[in-house]
């Protein structure tokens, strides 16, 4: 059994707490901490297993490594997303809430958003609502091969179990496109104080 405590604590959302894996600093363990969490987590894990079978590229999602028993109940192991300097990556929400940061990373944000959409379409990754707090912007200096990128850490899969949309490319593409445009609209709406946000979304949508 793995023992989790405050020393390893990273953050929490509405349903899950996220800890650094005590035996691997590049992995995290997520545990449910309230009742509503179970159904959602199980749905998501079922979808992750489906993606593992499909051998997707994992360049836009934190990779999943299976379950583990912890002192806080069943935990699920994922890649812990860190910036090049070792800090845990911050959500896109943080970067677009600040006009200054949007300016600083403007070109990279445009590229990363375009790349994220391409990756979702290529691997037919279905998501529930895409939220900027559930996407981490991982900073890697641009002189490395990798560059900065956006990685989704939460809310993947579909409410209907193993949906038709995950198998039929045309259906999947339609669904991904719809969810994506809703996501871009939410970025504009939630960051209306940021004078660069409209231009950013416009640039993401142009070729
Ligand atoms: N793979 C990860 N790498 C780095 N931080 C993460 C990762 N997964 C989750 N986190 C952090 O933990 C928080 C809660 O995780 P999340 O999966 O979003 O839980 P919830 O389902 O409750 O929203 C996230 O908002 C993020 O700050
Ligand atoms: Mg979340």
């Amino acid at each position: 059994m793995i023992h989790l405590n405050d020393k390893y604590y990273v953050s929490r959302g509405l349903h899950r707490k996220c800890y650094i894996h005590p035996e691997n600093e590049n992995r995290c363990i997520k545990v449910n901490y309230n009742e509503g969490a179970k159904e959602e987590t199980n749905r998501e894990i079922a979808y992750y297993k489906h993606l593992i079978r499909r051998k997707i590229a994992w360049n836009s999602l934190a990779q999943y490594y299976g379950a583990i028993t912890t002192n806080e109940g069943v935990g699920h192991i994922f890649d812990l997303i860190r910036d090049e300097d070792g800090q845990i990556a911050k959500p896109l929400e943080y970067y677009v809430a600040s006009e200054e940061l949007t300016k600083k990373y403007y070109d990279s944000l445009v590229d990363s958003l375009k790349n994220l959409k391409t990756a979702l379409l290529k691997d037919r990754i279905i998501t529930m609502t895409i939220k900027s707090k559930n996407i981490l912007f991982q900073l890697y200096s641009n002189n490395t091969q990798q560059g900065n990128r956006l990685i989704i850490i939460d809310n993947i899969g579909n409410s209907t179990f193993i949906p038709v949309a995950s198998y039929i490319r045309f259906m999947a593409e339609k669904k991904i496109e719809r969810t994506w445009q809703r996501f871009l609209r939410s970025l504009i709406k939630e960051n209306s104080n940021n004078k660069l946000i409209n231009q950013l979304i416009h640039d993401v949508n142009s070729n």
Side-chain angles (χ1 to χ4, degrees):
M1 166 175 331
I2 287 274
H3 198 85
L4 302 171
N5 63 43
D6 288 353
K7 197 172 106 191
Y8 303 107
Y9 178 74
V10 176
S11 182
R12 74 174 71 191
L14 287 176
H15 301 296
R16 296 181 290 185
K17 288 199 258 182
C18 177
Y19 291 92
I20 298 169
H21 192 313
E23 291 167 5
N24 184 342
E25 62 177 22
N26 291 314
R27 303 251 166 111
C28 66
I29 300 179
K30 295 195 207 180
V31 291
N32 297 339
Y33 71 85
N34 58 28
E35 266 312 301
K38 207 168 163 187
E39 200 179 331
E40 199 145 317
T41 295
N42 291 346
R43 171 187 56 71
E44 188 167 287
I45 297 303
Y47 191 68
Y48 265 106
K49 287 180 177 164
H50 167 82
L51 294 179
I52 290 168
R53 281 196 298 275
R54 276 195 358 220
K55 300 194 184 345
I56 64 154
W58 301 108
N59 47 13
S60 59
L61 282 188
Q63 190 159 355
Y64 174 62
Y65 299 98
I68 191 167
T69 309
T70 82
N71 58 313
E72 296 196 21
V74 180
H76 292 280
I77 306 172
F78 296 88
D79 273 330
L80 177 65
I81 311 303
R82 292 182 184 272
D83 294 336
E84 190 172 27
D85 68 3
Q87 281 206 60
I88 295 170
K90 295 184 191 64
L92 174 63
E93 181 181 54
Y94 168 81
Y95 290 92
V96 290
S98 150
E99 197 171 315
E100 199 183 323
L101 287 175
T102 304
K103 192 172 181 183
K104 180 171 178 188
Y105 294 106
Y106 192 88
D107 291 343
S108 173
L109 284 167
V110 172
D111 285 349
S112 303
L113 280 161
K114 285 182 173 182
N115 291 342
L116 177 61
K117 185 186 178 194
T118 304
L120 293 178
L121 284 170
K122 183 163 182 285
D123 276 333
R124 270 179 294 139
I125 297 167
I126 309 282
T127 58
M128 307 282 279
T129 312
I130 308 176
K131 296 179 183 159
S132 61
K133 65 175 168 194
N134 289 324
I135 305 175
L136 302 184
F137 187 50
Q138 183 186 39
L139 299 182
Y140 257 78
S141 63
N142 288 318
N143 51 17
T144 69
Q145 262 212 321
Q146 187 182 338
N148 303 335
R149 61 175 174 157
L150 290 164
I151 300 167
I152 298 182
I153 51 154
D154 184 19
N155 240 1
I156 70 150
N158 200 301
S159 48
T160 42
F161 186 70
I162 310 290
V164 189
S166 9
Y167 291 102
I168 303 174
R169 180 165 290 276
F170 167 72
M171 301 268 292
E173 281 173 3
K174 271 200 348 198
K175 185 163 172 55
I176 292 164
E177 187 67 45
R178 236 184 297 129
T179 314
W180 181 259
Q181 291 306 330
R182 223 178 281 140
F183 161 59
L184 294 186
R185 284 198 296 274
S186 75
L187 281 180
I188 291 178
K189 210 167 150 196
E190 289 160 10
N191 299 285
S192 53
N193 292 332
N194 182 342
K195 290 196 224 56
L196 295 173
I197 201 74
N198 278 298
Q199 189 61 44
L200 181 82
I201 302 308
H202 176 267
D203 289 347
V204 169
N205 273 327
S206 63
N207 299 312

